[in-house]
Coordinates of all heavy atoms in Angstrom, one line a residue:
G300 N 126.1 134.4 117.3 CA 126.1 132.9 117.1 C 125.9 132.5 115.7 O 126.3 131.5 115.2
G301 N 125.0 133.2 114.9 CA 124.7 132.9 113.6 C 125.6 133.4 112.6 O 125.3 133.3 111.3
L302 N 126.6 134.2 112.8 CA 127.5 134.8 111.9 C 128.7 134.0 111.7 O 129.4 133.8 112.7 CB 127.9 136.2 112.5 CG 126.7 137.3 112.7 CD1 127.1 138.6 113.1 CD2 125.9 137.4 111.4
E303 N 128.9 133.6 110.5 CA 130.0 132.8 110.2 C 131.2 133.5 109.8 O 131.1 134.4 108.8 CB 129.6 131.8 109.1 CG 130.7 130.8 108.6 CD 130.3 130.0 107.3 OE1 129.2 130.2 106.9 OE2 131.1 129.3 106.9
I304 N 132.4 133.1 110.4 CA 133.6 133.7 109.9 C 134.2 132.9 108.8 O 134.5 131.8 108.9 CB 134.7 133.8 111.2 CG1 134.2 134.7 112.2 CG2 136.0 134.2 110.7 CD1 134.5 136.1 112.0
K305 N 134.3 133.6 107.7 CA 134.8 132.7 106.5 C 136.4 132.6 106.5 O 137.0 133.5 106.8 CB 134.4 133.4 105.2 CG 132.9 133.2 104.9 CD 132.7 133.5 103.3 CE 131.3 133.1 102.9 NZ 131.0 133.3 101.4
K306 N 136.8 131.5 106.1 CA 138.2 131.2 106.0 C 138.5 131.1 104.5 O 137.8 130.3 103.9 CB 138.6 129.9 106.8 CG 138.4 130.2 108.3 CD 138.9 128.9 109.1 CE 138.6 129.1 110.6 NZ 139.1 127.9 111.4
P307 N 139.6 131.6 104.1 CA 140.0 131.5 102.7 C 140.2 130.0 102.3 O 140.8 129.2 103.2 CB 141.3 132.3 102.6 CG 141.3 133.2 103.7 CD 140.5 132.6 104.8
L308 N 139.7 129.6 101.1 CA 139.9 128.3 100.8 C 141.4 127.8 100.5 O 141.7 126.7 100.7 CB 139.1 127.8 99.5 CG 137.5 128.1 99.7 CD1 136.8 127.9 98.3 CD2 137.0 127.1 100.7
V309 N 142.1 128.8 100.0 CA 143.5 128.6 99.7 C 144.3 129.7 100.3 O 143.6 130.8 100.6 CB 143.9 128.5 98.2 CG1 143.2 127.3 97.6 CG2 143.3 129.8 97.5
K310 N 145.5 129.6 100.6 CA 146.3 130.6 101.3 C 146.2 132.0 100.6 O 146.2 133.0 101.3 CB 147.7 130.1 101.4 CG 148.7 131.1 102.2 CD 150.1 130.5 102.3 CE 150.9 131.4 103.2 NZ 152.3 130.9 103.3
E311 N 146.2 132.0 99.3 CA 146.3 133.3 98.5 C 144.9 134.0 98.4 O 144.8 135.0 97.9 CB 146.9 133.1 97.2 CG 148.3 132.6 97.1 CD 148.4 131.2 97.4 OE1 147.5 130.4 97.3 OE2 149.7 130.8 97.8
A312 N 143.8 133.2 98.8 CA 142.5 133.8 98.6 C 142.1 135.0 99.4 O 141.5 135.9 99.1 CB 141.5 132.7 98.9
G313 N 142.6 135.0 100.7 CA 142.3 136.0 101.7 C 143.3 137.3 101.4 O 144.2 137.2 100.8
F314 N 142.8 138.4 102.0 CA 143.6 139.6 101.8 C 143.4 140.5 103.0 O 142.2 140.4 103.7 CB 143.4 140.4 100.5 CG 142.1 141.0 100.4 CD1 141.9 142.3 100.7 CD2 140.9 140.2 99.9 CE1 140.6 142.9 100.6 CE2 139.7 140.8 99.8 CZ 139.5 142.1 100.2
R315 N 144.2 141.4 103.4 CA 144.1 142.3 104.4 C 143.7 143.6 103.8 O 144.4 144.2 102.9 CB 145.3 142.4 105.2 CG 145.2 143.3 106.4 CD 146.5 143.2 107.3 NE 147.6 143.7 106.7 CZ 148.1 145.0 106.7 NH1 147.4 145.9 107.5 NH2 149.1 145.4 106.2
L316 N 142.7 144.3 104.5 CA 142.4 145.7 104.1 C 142.9 146.6 105.1 O 142.8 146.4 106.4 CB 140.8 145.8 104.1 CG 140.3 147.2 103.5 CD1 140.5 147.2 102.0 CD2 138.8 147.3 103.7
N317 N 143.6 147.7 104.6 CA 144.2 148.7 105.4 C 143.5 150.0 105.5 O 143.2 150.5 104.3 CB 145.7 148.9 105.0 CG 146.5 149.6 106.1 OD1 146.0 150.2 106.9 ND2 147.8 149.5 106.0
L318 N 143.1 150.4 106.5 CA 142.3 151.7 106.7 C 143.2 153.0 106.7 O 142.8 154.1 106.6 CB 141.3 151.8 107.9 CG 140.0 151.4 107.6 CD1 139.1 152.3 106.9 CD2 139.9 150.0 107.0
F319 N 144.6 152.6 106.7 CA 145.5 153.8 106.7 C 146.3 153.7 105.3 O 146.2 152.6 104.5 CB 146.6 153.5 107.7 CG 146.0 153.5 109.1 CD1 145.4 152.4 109.8 CD2 146.0 154.7 109.9 CE1 144.8 152.5 110.9 CE2 145.4 154.7 111.1 CZ 144.9 153.6 111.6
T320 N 147.0 154.7 105.0 CA 147.7 154.9 103.7 C 148.8 153.9 103.6 O 149.0 153.2 102.6 CB 148.1 156.3 103.5 OG1 147.1 157.2 103.7 CG2 148.8 156.4 102.1
T321 N 149.5 153.7 104.7 CA 150.7 152.7 104.7 C 150.7 151.9 106.0 O 149.9 152.2 107.0 CB 152.1 153.5 104.7 OG1 152.2 154.3 105.9 CG2 152.0 154.4 103.5
D322 N 151.3 150.8 106.0 CA 151.5 149.9 107.1 C 152.1 150.7 108.3 O 151.8 150.5 109.5 CB 152.3 148.7 106.8 CG 151.6 147.7 105.9 OD1 150.3 147.9 105.8 OD2 152.3 146.9 105.2
E323 N 153.0 151.6 108.0 CA 153.8 152.5 109.1 C 152.8 153.3 109.8 O 152.8 153.4 111.0 CB 154.9 153.3 108.5 CG 156.1 152.5 107.9 CD 155.7 151.7 106.6 OE1 154.8 152.1 106.0 OE2 156.6 150.8 106.3
E324 N 151.8 153.9 109.1 CA 150.7 154.8 109.6 C 149.9 153.9 110.5 O 149.4 154.3 111.7 CB 149.9 155.3 108.6 CG 150.5 156.6 107.9 CD 149.7 157.3 107.0 OE1 148.3 157.1 107.1 OE2 150.1 157.9 106.0
E325 N 149.6 152.6 110.1 CA 148.8 151.7 110.9 C 149.5 151.4 112.2 O 148.8 151.3 113.4 CB 148.4 150.4 110.1 CG 147.4 149.4 110.8 CD 147.2 148.3 109.9 OE1 148.1 147.6 109.5 OE2 145.9 148.1 109.7
E326 N 150.7 151.0 112.2 CA 151.5 150.7 113.3 C 151.6 152.0 114.3 O 151.5 151.6 115.6 CB 153.0 150.2 113.0 CG 153.0 148.9 112.2 CD 154.3 148.6 111.6 OE1 155.3 149.4 111.9 OE2 154.5 147.6 111.0
H327 N 151.8 153.0 113.8 CA 151.8 154.3 114.6 C 150.6 154.5 115.3 O 150.5 154.8 116.5 CB 152.3 155.6 113.8 CG 152.4 156.8 114.6 ND1 151.3 157.7 114.7 CD2 153.4 157.3 115.4 CE1 151.7 158.7 115.4 NE2 153.0 158.5 115.8
A328 N 149.4 154.3 114.6 CA 148.2 154.6 115.1 C 147.9 153.6 116.4 O 147.3 153.9 117.3 CB 147.1 154.3 114.1
A329 N 148.4 152.3 116.1 CA 148.2 151.3 117.2 C 149.0 151.7 118.6 O 148.6 151.5 119.7 CB 148.6 149.9 116.8
L330 N 150.2 152.2 118.3 CA 151.0 152.6 119.5 C 150.5 153.9 120.1 O 150.6 154.1 121.5 CB 152.5 152.8 119.0 CG 153.1 151.5 118.6 CD1 154.6 151.8 118.0 CD2 153.3 150.5 119.7
S331 N 150.1 154.8 119.3 CA 149.6 156.2 119.9 C 148.1 156.1 120.3 O 147.8 157.3 120.9 CB 150.0 157.3 118.8 OG 149.3 157.0 117.7
R332 N 147.3 155.2 120.0 CA 146.0 155.3 120.3 C 145.7 155.5 121.9 O 146.2 154.7 122.7 CB 145.2 154.1 119.9 CG 143.7 154.3 120.0 CD 143.0 153.1 119.3 NE 141.5 153.2 119.5 CZ 140.9 153.8 118.7 NH1 141.3 154.6 117.7 NH2 139.4 153.9 118.8
P333 N 145.0 156.6 122.3 CA 144.8 156.7 123.7 C 144.1 155.6 124.4 O 143.2 154.9 123.7 CB 143.9 158.0 123.8 CG 144.1 158.7 122.5 CD 144.4 157.5 121.4
E334 N 144.4 155.3 125.6 CA 143.7 154.2 126.2 C 142.2 154.2 126.3 O 141.5 153.1 126.1 CB 144.3 154.0 127.7 CG 143.7 152.8 128.4 CD 144.3 152.6 129.8 OE1 145.2 153.5 130.1 OE2 143.9 151.8 130.5
E335 N 141.7 155.4 126.4 CA 140.2 155.5 126.6 C 139.5 155.3 125.3 O 138.3 155.1 125.2 CB 139.8 156.9 127.2 CG 139.9 158.0 126.2 CD 141.4 158.7 126.2 OE1 142.3 158.0 126.8 OE2 141.6 159.7 125.6

Side-chain angles (χ1 to χ4, degrees):
L302 299 178
E303 177 186 359
I304 295 276
K305 283 199 172 184
K306 295 182 179 179
L308 297 177
V309 295
K310 185 176 180 181
E311 294 76 19
F314 68 94
R315 181 172 69 90
L316 191 71
N317 193 341
L318 268 286
F319 298 84
T320 306
T321 64
D322 290 341
E323 290 74 17
E324 286 185 18
E325 186 177 54
E326 293 172 3
H327 179 266
L330 295 173
S331 61
R332 187 174 181 82
E334 182 180 353
E335 73 275 9

